[in-house]
């Protein structure tokens, strides 16, 4: 059964409604609480096991030894001198990252953390290679 | 009248994806059409062989932007079958939930695109605005709007809390109300009827012969749905109807998709109200035992088939994806014949094509450094030749 201009009343109703879009750059965007954004790194938790490097589907992570290593702990009397705890840096290539957060799940020490940071566009590609120290 | 052949595409034939249609025109009427694939081959199957099973999950998710959950679920069912892993009931229910939310978002997207192609842009604007609700549901549950990554080998990555359940149900109620309005609109509005009725005809026997699947087949009266024919996930326990239409045209495809939306809302409510308790994932070893598996899955666009062969290592030996559009493209050539040039974009869009998912038939010979695309005739000849060497004769088929 044909009824012309069936949508007309709906269109008129919408004239008095608020816009459905949000004016994003001028007001904050609405993000859900568990949104998968940029991956952050906590250096003191990392043990350099390279699990995240192996599991990353887009080869976006590198875990390297830090330039400045902490000094070896002072030897305790009667015990053999323990090795120094090594420090690691994380190089996160944001232009490779697909934001699946598999590394966050795999990390045994929870050194990688998912943040809600999504404003990552940059005109300089080098800036997308973040070196977390 | 003299015949002219014009190419439609590969630049934006109906949608943004590259595909070439060679149309033979007599005046404004189409007397023949050929579909040419192969503009967007991404080598995903080869790439999948060089990654571990867990990395492949994120690669295969990117076969398609709209049915990302379909491809991973189909792939992961194969992996879990080979690993002989018992996936928890709760994980299967959450997978079903995301699958249905995905179907809702795909069908609403299609409804908008169809509105756009038929010149009814009000419908396009309204459906796409309402589609945001279901995309918000997906972001709430999985953490992302398009590539949900909810699956992991042995279960799902995120659980559903009571607040999430309430929020999703609230949005589904709103969508159900809107969908009822769209169904009324689509069946009564003169613009829609004039542009879709008796356009892109695909009779029942041709749909069977050309192997049409999904909503395209169901609109021609073929009761074909993997969810009913071979239930996977938790579909065997759910109550829903198989929607078919017998008008065999674009209007039928519109009605099938709109009514399927209503069924999907029913499924979502059932799944959310009867979520089984228990863990969401079990541990599966990195190495998967050697073997082969094939699985079928009803993606929003039709039947999706994945084949997996493992050799006992942590990487698959072969992954094969048969995306739904490949099966439906055979019918497009038929649907275009006898129609009008102005209806071409609508007829192409009516199968909800996803060309980039489909393209994977380029052969590259590394020894000779030669690249060649094989057509249907060549592939048929090669297949007959290969079987003849094994002692089977297929020449008469």
């Amino acid at each position: 059964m044909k009824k012309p201009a069936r949508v007309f009343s709906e269109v008129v109703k919408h004239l008095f409604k608020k816009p459905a879009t949000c004016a994003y750059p001028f007001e904050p965007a609405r993000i859900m609480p568990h949104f998968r954004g940029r991956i952050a790194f906590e250096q003191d938790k990392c043990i350099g096991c390279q699990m995240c490097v192996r599991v990353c589907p887009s080869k976006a992570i590198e875990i390297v030894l830090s330039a400045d290593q902490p000094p070896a702990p002072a030897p305790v009397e009667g015990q053999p001198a323990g090795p120094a705890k090594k420090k690691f840096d994380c190089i996160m290539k944001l232009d490779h990252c697909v934001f699946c957060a598999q590394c966050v799940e795999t990390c045994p020490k929870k050194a990688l953390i998912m943040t809600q940071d999504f404003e990552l566009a940059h005109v300089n590609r080098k800036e997308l290679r973040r070196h977390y120290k | 009248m003299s015949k002219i052949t014009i190419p439609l595409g590969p630049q934006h034939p109906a949608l943004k994806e590259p595909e070439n249609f060679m149309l033979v025109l007599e005046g404004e009427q189409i007397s023949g059409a050929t579909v040419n694939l192969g503009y967007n081959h991404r080598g995903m199957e080869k790439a999948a062989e060089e990654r571990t099973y867990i990395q492949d999950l994120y690669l295969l998710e990117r076969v398609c932007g709209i049915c990302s959950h379909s491809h991973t679920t189909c792939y992961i069912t194969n992996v879990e079958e080979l690993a002989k892993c018992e996936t928890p009931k709760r994980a299967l229910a959450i997978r079903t939930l995301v699958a249905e939310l995905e179907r809702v978002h795909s069908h609403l997207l299609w409804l908008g695109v169809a509105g756009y192609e038929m010149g009814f842009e009000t419908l396009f604007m309204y459906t796409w605005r309402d589609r945001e609700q279901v995309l918000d549901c997906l972001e709430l549950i999985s953490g992302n709007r398009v590539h949900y990554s909810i699956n992991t080998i042995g279960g799902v990555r995120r659980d559903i809390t009571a607040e999430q359940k309430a929020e999703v149900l609230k949005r589904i109620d709103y969508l159900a109300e809107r969908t009822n309005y769209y169904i009324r609109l689509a069946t009564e509005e003169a613009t829609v009827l004039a542009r879709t009725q008796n356009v892109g005809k695909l009779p029942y026997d041709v749909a069977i012969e050309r192997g049409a699947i999904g909503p395209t087949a169901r609109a021609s009266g073929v009761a074909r749905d993997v969810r009913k024919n071979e239930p996977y996930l938790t579909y065997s326990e759910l109550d829903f109807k198989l929607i078919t239409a017998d008008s065999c045209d674009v209007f039928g495809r519109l009605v099938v998709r709109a009514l399927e939306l209503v069924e999907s809302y029913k499924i979502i409510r059932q799944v959310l109200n009867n979520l089984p308790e228990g863990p969401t994932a079990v541990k599966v070893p990195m190495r998967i035992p050697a073997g082969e598996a094939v699985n079928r899955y009803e993606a929003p666009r039709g039947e999706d088939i994945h084949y997996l062969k493992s050799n006992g290592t942590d990487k698959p030996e072969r992954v094969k994806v048969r995306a739904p559009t490949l099966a439906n493209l055979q019918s497009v050539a038929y649907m275009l014949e006898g129609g009008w040039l102005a209806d071409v974009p609508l007829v192409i869009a009516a199968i909800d094509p996803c060309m980039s998912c489909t393209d994977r038939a380029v052969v590259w010979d590394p020894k000779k450094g030669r690249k060649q695309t094989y057509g249907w005739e060549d592939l048929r000849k090669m297949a007959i030749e290969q079987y003849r060497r094994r002692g089977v004769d297929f020449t008469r088929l």
Side-chain angles (χ1 to χ4, degrees), chain B residues 31-140:
Chain B
S31 62
T34 338
V35 184
N36 294 319
L37 276 165
Y39 292 93
N40 206 352
H41 180 72
R42 291 174 293 173
M44 279 222 176
E45 289 170 358
K46 191 69 199 163
E49 290 165 20
E50 277 151 35
R51 285 168 169 79
T52 61
Y53 284 98
I54 197 97
Q55 288 173 331
D56 277 342
L57 198 58
Y58 301 105
L59 178 73
L60 289 172
E61 187 163 50
R62 282 154 180 82
V63 167
C64 180
I66 306 294
C67 13
S68 58
H69 185 71
S70 309
H71 286 288
T72 52
T73 312
C74 201
Y75 161 77
I76 219 155
T77 320
N78 279 334
V79 178
E80 284 167 1
E81 204 176 295
L82 289 179
K84 295 189 179 58
C85 133
E86 287 253 329
T87 319
K89 276 262 171 207
R90 193 176 173 89
L92 292 180
I94 294 174
R95 278 183 196 172
T96 315
L97 172 73
V98 177
E100 286 310 311
L101 285 172
E102 182 183 76
R103 195 179 313 278
V104 171
H105 118 74
S106 173
H107 282 4
L108 280 174
L109 175 128
W110 181 84
L111 205 58
V113 171
Y116 178 75
E117 298 291 354
M118 67 178 90
F120 187 14
E121 292 186 18
T122 322
L123 181 67
F124 163 63
M125 292 287 175
Y126 287 165
T127 45
W128 278 47
R129 179 199 61 188
D130 294 337
R131 180 171 161 260
E132 284 302 307
Q133 297 290 331
V134 64
L135 287 176
D136 282 352
C137 287
L138 285 164
E139 190 182 336
L140 184 74

Side-chain angles (χ1 to χ4, degrees), chain A residues 1-7 9-11 14 17 20 30-36 53-57 59 98-102 105 114, chain B residues 51-52 54-55 58 62 120 122 126 129 136 139-140 142-144 147-149 152 157-158 164 171 178 181 184-185 187-190 193:
Chain A
M1 190 177 50
K2 284 186 190 179
K3 284 187 186 169
R6 189 72 180 70
V7 79
S9 61
E10 186 77 8
V11 174
H14 276 81
K17 281 190 180 168
R30 290 173 296 221
I31 298 174
M32 295 293 169
H34 297 291
F35 175 78
R36 298 195 301 269
V53 179
R54 252 176 283 157
V55 87
C56 179
K59 303 184 176 68
V98 294
F99 303 97
C100 64
Q102 180 65 42
E105 262 171 44
M114 192 179 68
Chain B
R51 285 168 169 79
T52 61
I54 197 97
Q55 288 173 331
Y58 301 105
R62 282 154 180 82
F120 187 14
T122 322
Y126 287 165
R129 179 199 61 188
D136 282 352
E139 190 182 336
L140 184 74
S142 68
N144 217 330
H147 292 305
Y148 329 115
S149 306
T152 187
R157 293 168 70 192
R158 288 184 179 187
Q164 281 175 340
R171 285 166 196 261
R178 290 296 302 174
Y181 172 71
R184 276 207 313 280
L185 188 69
T187 48
E188 288 175 359
E189 168 66 46
L193 294 177

